[in-house]
Amino acid sequence: MLTVFTTLFLVELPDKTFIATLVLATKYRPLYVWIGVASAFLVQTFVAVAFGAVLSKLPETPVHVVVALLFLVAGILLIKGAKDAAAEGDEAEEEFAGKAKPAEGLKAISASFLILFLAEWGDLSQLATAGFVARGGNPWAVGIAAFTALALVSGLGAAVG
């Protein structure tokens, strides 16, 4: 659980998700943003864990190849993202700032959920979560650790915003 938590926390901290949450929290009440974003992460984590569980049921050699490819892609995306982090941060800030319109309550929660839910499909954290489960990790432990890391990062983004 500690490995999953640490990995995902460090991967998501400089990600566009943190910036998007921060920007949304400047437009909406931070608590509403966090509820929406954390809800999106809950669904995304469930999907990733389910995908990883399906992969773990397949024959061992193809699973190892798929997991290795997932981690290779994740590593390449992380390295590429580190090079372009500042530019992507500015770009993400402009993109998400334009999508956020003044809203309160359920509308702010829904907007935050939708923006992050759509932005996270196929993201590095989702691939890593699936890979941890497919490698033989306990799906419950991986899911709880992954969601906790993602919820904490989004909480920090909302608080800073």
Side-chain angles (χ1 to χ4, degrees):
M1 283 182 83
L2 184 60
T3 300
V4 173
F5 176 87
T6 304
T7 301
L8 292 179
F9 183 83
L10 293 175
V11 162
E12 279 299 314
L13 199 53
D15 193 53
K16 67 181 181 255
T17 305
F18 180 81
I19 295 165
T21 304
L22 189 146
V23 170
L24 287 166
T26 65
K27 303 286 183 187
Y28 308 140
R29 288 187 58 196
L31 179 61
Y32 295 154
V33 170
W34 183 78
I35 290 170
V37 170
S39 298
F41 276 135
L42 184 63
V43 174
Q44 291 287 359
T45 301
F46 178 79
V47 169
V49 168
F51 180 67
V54 168
L55 283 178
S56 71
K57 302 293 183 211
L58 299 174
E60 192 170 315
T61 302
V63 169
H64 285 271
V65 171
V66 169
V67 170
L69 288 173
L70 284 174
F71 278 103
L72 177 65
V73 168
I76 291 169
L77 290 173
L78 187 59
I79 291 168
K80 182 183 177 290
K83 290 180 183 177
D84 304 327
E88 280 186 19
D90 294 340
E91 183 182 310
E93 190 171 335
E94 289 175 21
E95 175 187 347
F96 292 113
K99 291 182 180 179
K101 295 181 173 80
E104 285 294 321
L106 191 55
K107 288 183 181 181
I109 292 170
S110 299
S112 299
F113 176 90
L114 285 173
I115 289 170
L116 267 290
F117 183 77
L118 296 174
E120 281 297 301
W121 277 107
D123 191 62
L124 181 58
S125 59
Q126 196 174 32
L127 295 174
T129 302
F132 279 121
V133 173
R135 275 185 40 199
N138 178 319
W140 284 103
V142 170
I144 290 168
F147 174 72
T148 303
L150 297 170
L152 181 59
V153 169
S154 62
L156 291 172
V160 170

